[in-house]
């Protein structure tokens, strides 16, 4: 018999060792996976810190200037010499210009040499006053005053030269007058002497129309360049008083914005000068127009028929918040006479009627009017009844509701609705009152997207 082979193989039991490294890696993996999942599924709430700021609403317009203007024409042919600068003030009987049929006297005046050092001090008072006025009122930020000063000084020196020449040449002038060869013309009335015309002198508040705003129709002519004139040529115009107007067309949205503005702060884009004007809205033909009435600054813009202006409206300062933060929430309006103090506390509360016994609760008050406190559904239900103190009267919670505008404050890590009172706003931001009861304060943290969160939700 053959001998069976004996099976001497002995199976050894495996010795498993605990690997702490693998465990740590697994834990870290689970931790990372959890946070990635949480990030993908949870809301990503962005927060904005409340700051102080200003919003200035403005409206830019090209406006038509209307004044009380009258043009004057030459009474005869001749060589003209102006004795006043354009845009200068003149009094009645002031000498404005001369008309010289032969040109002889005019040539003598032009060639007359005035030695200013030999003039009496009283004659130079006007020059001294111009220098004093300029030096006291000069500012680097308002350089236009330099141009005005130059014009005024030139006018004053020209006046001195003309007066001296007329005095010296008085015998020659009398002889020329006797022959009707030389005429000195005086101002028929006081006003602003102008040596430019543009064809709009007859346009007034009573007769302007849509075509009056056609800038292409302005035909500006400088009269000072004239040396020889003919009878009936226009030679100057007078602006007869300081009252003047700017007019511009408006649409319905602009009317809604401006209808309650009796006085408006105006900035002239030409030189950044600001002043106030009385505002009114009139209807003319098929359009509506704003009329701005001024009683100052007429000299600054007397040579302009159209002016670009900026209406500075509703310049408000307060707490500046993004419009995206603003949302609305509905509240229950509870009469104030249903509130009382209870539970050994100074906090106001209401007595809620319950089936198991009345319960005193102190809800958060979000807003108040003369008659009501506004509360949420945090501690009461819409169908709950509350009891009036010392009375048998009852009031159902949802009897009266109202919506408030506000934002969600997250200073404590969860959303709390806070009422806001908007003072002014543009497309991106709003300025809200910083003294609103139950409202927000400077440096509060609010939700950037007010529609993305609910009351008491954690962030």
């Amino acid at each position: 018999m053959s001998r069976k082979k004996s099976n001497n193989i002995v199976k050894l039991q495996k010795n498993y060792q605990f690997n702490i490294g693998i465990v740590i890696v697994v834990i870290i993996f689970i931790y990372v996976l959890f946070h990635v999942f949480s990030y993908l599924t949870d809301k990503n709430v962005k927060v904005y810190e409340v700051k102080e700021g200003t919003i200035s609403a403005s409206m830019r317009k090209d406006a038509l200037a209307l004044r009380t203007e009258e043009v004057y024409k030459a009474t005869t042919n001749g060589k003209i010499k102006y004795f006043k600068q354009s845009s200068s003030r003149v009094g009645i009987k002031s000498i404005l210009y001369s008309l010289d049929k032969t040109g002889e006297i005019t040539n003598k005046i032009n060639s007359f040499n005035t030695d200013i050092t030999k003039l009496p001090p009283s004659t130079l008072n006007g020059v001294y006053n111009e220098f004093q006025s300029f030096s006291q009122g000069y500012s680097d930020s308002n350089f236009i005053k330099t141009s005005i000063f130059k014009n005024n000084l030139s006018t004053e020196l020209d006046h001195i030269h003309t007066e001296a020449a007329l005095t010296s040449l008085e015998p020659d002038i009398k002889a020329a007058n006797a022959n009707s060869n030389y005429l000195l013309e005086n101002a028929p009335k006081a006003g602003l002497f102008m040596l430019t015309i543009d064809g709009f002198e007859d346009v007034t508040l009573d007769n302007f129309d849509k075509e009056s705003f056609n800038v292409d129709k302005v035909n500006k002519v400088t009269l000072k360049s004239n040396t020889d004139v003919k009878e009936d040529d226009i030679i100057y115009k007078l602006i007869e008083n300081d009252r003047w107007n700017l007019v511009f067309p408006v649409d319905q949205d602009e009317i809604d914005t401006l209808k309650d503005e009796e006085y408006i702060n105006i900035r002239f884009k030409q030189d950044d000068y600001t002043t106030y004007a009385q505002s009114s809205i009139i209807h003319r033909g098929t359009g509506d127009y704003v009329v701005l009435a001024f009683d100052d600054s007429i000299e600054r813009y007397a040579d302009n028929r159209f002016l670009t202006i900026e209406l500075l409206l509703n310049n408000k300062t307060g707490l500046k918040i993004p419009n995206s933060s603003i949302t609305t929430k509905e509240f229950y309006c509870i009469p104030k006479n249903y509130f009382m103090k209870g539970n050994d506390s100074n906090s106001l509360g209401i007595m809620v009627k319950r089936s198991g016994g009345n319960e005193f609760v102190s809800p958060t008050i979000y807003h108040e009017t003369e008659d009501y406190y506004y509360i949420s559904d945090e501690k009461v239900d819409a169908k709950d009844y509350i009891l009036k103190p010392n009375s048998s009267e009852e009031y159902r919670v949802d009897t009266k509701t109202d919506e408030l505008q506000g934002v969600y404050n997250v200073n404590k890590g969860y959303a709390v609705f806070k009422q806001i009172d908007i003072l002014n706003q543009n497309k991106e931001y709003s300025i809200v009152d910083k003294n609103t009861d139950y409202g927000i304060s400077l440096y509060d943290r609010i939700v950037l997207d007010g529609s993305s969160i609910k009351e008491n939700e954690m962030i």
Side-chain angles (χ1 to χ4, degrees):
M1 285 181 68
S2 62
R3 182 184 253 179
K4 291 184 179 179
K5 291 182 180 180
S6 60
N7 188 356
N8 293 325
I9 298 173
V10 179
K11 292 183 179 180
L12 298 177
Q13 189 175 358
K14 293 183 179 179
N15 186 18
Y16 291 100
Q17 293 184 349
F18 180 74
N19 193 327
I20 187 65
I22 294 176
V23 174
I24 293 174
V25 170
V26 171
I27 292 174
I28 293 175
F29 177 76
I30 294 173
Y31 177 81
V32 171
L33 190 64
F34 171 78
H35 279 278
V36 169
F37 179 78
S38 299
Y39 176 80
L40 294 175
T41 57
D42 286 354
K43 292 181 180 179
N44 185 18
V45 179
K46 294 183 178 179
V47 175
Y48 174 87
E49 186 177 79
V50 177
K51 303 173 183 178
E52 194 165 17
T54 300
I55 290 180
S56 298
S58 65
M59 189 181 298
R60 184 167 178 157
K61 288 290 181 179
D62 292 319
L64 170 67
L66 300 178
R67 314 172 185 91
T68 306
E69 301 169 84
E70 187 172 350
V71 296
Y72 292 85
K73 299 179 180 180
T75 56
T76 186
N77 300 345
K79 186 178 290 292
I80 191 168
K81 177 176 176 58
Y82 293 104
F83 295 148
K84 297 291 183 183
Q85 294 284 341
S86 188
S87 300
S88 60
R89 294 275 182 178
V90 297
I92 191 169
K93 301 300 181 181
S94 298
I95 299 177
L96 300 182
Y97 66 94
S98 64
L99 275 176
D100 190 350
K101 291 183 179 180
T102 65
E104 181 181 351
I105 301 297
T106 300
N107 291 335
K108 289 183 178 180
I109 292 175
N110 290 337
S111 61
F112 185 81
N113 184 21
T114 304
D115 189 352
I116 198 170
T117 61
K118 295 182 179 180
L119 295 175
S122 59
T123 305
L124 300 175
N125 281 342
V127 175
Y128 298 147
N129 291 338
E130 289 296 335
F131 273 104
Q132 185 177 18
S133 176
F134 174 72
S135 61
Q136 291 177 349
Y138 177 75
S139 170
D140 289 339
S141 62
N142 196 358
F143 189 74
I144 192 173
K145 286 187 176 181
T146 304
S147 177
I148 295 173
F149 165 69
K150 179 182 177 181
N151 183 63
N152 291 344
L153 184 60
S154 177
T155 299
E156 190 61 36
L157 291 173
D158 192 51
H159 173 73
I160 291 173
H161 172 268
T162 300
E163 288 293 324
L166 292 176
T167 300
S168 178
L169 298 172
E170 186 174 359
D172 296 334
I173 292 173
K174 284 185 177 180
N177 271 330
N179 296 326
S180 299
N181 287 332
Y182 188 77
L183 303 175
L184 286 173
E185 296 292 342
N186 300 324
K189 58 185 73 174
L192 197 63
F193 180 68
M194 300 297 300
L195 291 175
T196 55
I197 57 173
D198 56 22
F200 278 66
E201 283 74 22
D202 293 331
V203 180
T204 67
L205 277 179
D206 296 325
N207 64 21
F208 80 86
D209 56 24
K210 185 177 180 180
E211 284 300 310
S212 302
F213 295 88
N214 187 347
V215 179
D216 294 334
K217 287 190 173 183
V218 175
N219 182 25
K220 191 170 183 178
V221 177
T222 301
L223 302 172
K224 190 173 183 179
S225 59
N226 294 342
T227 54
D228 295 291
V229 298
K230 296 179 181 179
E231 186 178 354
D232 289 333
D233 283 352
I234 295 175
I235 52 177
Y236 73 96
K237 75 178 177 186
L238 277 181
I239 299 175
E240 298 177 6
N241 59 60
D242 290 341
R243 294 284 298 176
W244 63 292
N245 300 281
L246 285 175
V247 184
F248 55 86
V250 286
D251 58 29
Q252 188 57 53
D253 288 341
E254 292 168 332
I255 291 175
D256 293 340
T257 301
L258 300 173
K259 63 183 179 182
D260 296 325
E261 301 284 347
E262 184 179 0
Y263 288 90
I264 299 178
N265 193 15
I266 307 297
R267 176 185 290 130
F268 292 87
K269 302 302 290 184
Q270 178 175 312
D271 55 6
D272 283 337
Y273 176 73
T274 60
T275 187
Y276 279 88
Q278 188 173 15
S279 173
S280 60
I281 299 174
I282 63 173
H283 186 79
R284 177 68 52 81
T286 59
D288 296 292
Y289 301 85
V290 167
V291 178
L292 301 175
F294 299 84
D295 57 11
D296 66 349
S297 315
I298 195 167
E299 291 103 328
R300 301 178 78 101
Y301 312 108
D303 209 25
N304 300 97
R305 183 58 64 184
F306 286 92
L307 287 159
T308 300
I309 59 173
E310 186 177 9
L311 284 65
L312 306 177
L313 309 167
N314 300 325
N315 189 2
K316 300 292 184 181
T317 298
L319 300 178
K320 189 174 182 179
I321 63 172
N323 290 339
S324 60
S325 295
I326 300 173
T327 187
T328 59
K329 183 179 177 181
E330 189 174 53
F331 291 90
Y332 301 127
C333 304
I334 309 299
K336 285 185 173 180
N337 54 13
Y338 276 80
F339 280 77
M340 67 184 85
K341 293 182 180 180
N343 286 353
D344 299 325
S345 170
N346 288 325
S347 299
L348 287 173
I350 50 179
M351 188 66 69
V352 183
K353 187 177 180 180
R354 306 288 193 197
S355 58
N358 299 334
E359 180 187 4
F360 180 83
V361 299
S362 297
T364 301
I365 297 174
Y366 291 86
H367 176 62
E368 69 175 288
T369 64
E370 186 176 348
D371 300 317
Y372 295 94
Y373 285 120
Y374 285 48
I375 68 172
S376 69
D377 58 359
E378 180 183 2
K379 296 183 178 181
V380 295
D381 187 76
K383 296 180 181 180
D384 283 343
Y385 283 87
I386 57 176
L387 304 176
K388 188 175 182 179
N390 303 317
S391 172
S392 61
E393 295 181 38
E394 298 178 354
Y395 183 87
R396 182 162 156 158
V397 169
D398 63 354
T399 301
K400 178 178 172 63
T401 62
D402 194 12
E403 280 192 344
L404 293 178
Q405 275 192 320
V407 297
Y408 281 107
N409 182 302
V410 291
N411 287 349
K412 298 179 179 179
Y414 58 91
V416 178
F417 184 89
K418 295 289 185 179
Q419 182 203 2
I420 58 171
D421 181 14
I422 298 176
L423 303 177
N424 197 7
Q425 63 183 168
N426 56 27
K427 293 181 179 180
E428 296 181 0
Y429 291 93
S430 292
I431 297 297
V432 303
D433 191 351
K434 55 186 174 183
N435 298 314
T436 302
D437 293 336
Y438 316 107
I440 58 174
S441 302
L442 189 64
Y443 306 126
D444 275 354
R445 297 167 71 241
I446 62 175
V447 177
L448 186 61
D449 182 2
S451 63
S452 67
I453 202 167
K454 295 180 180 180
E455 185 81 17
N456 293 321
E457 189 173 342
M458 302 293 291
I459 65 166

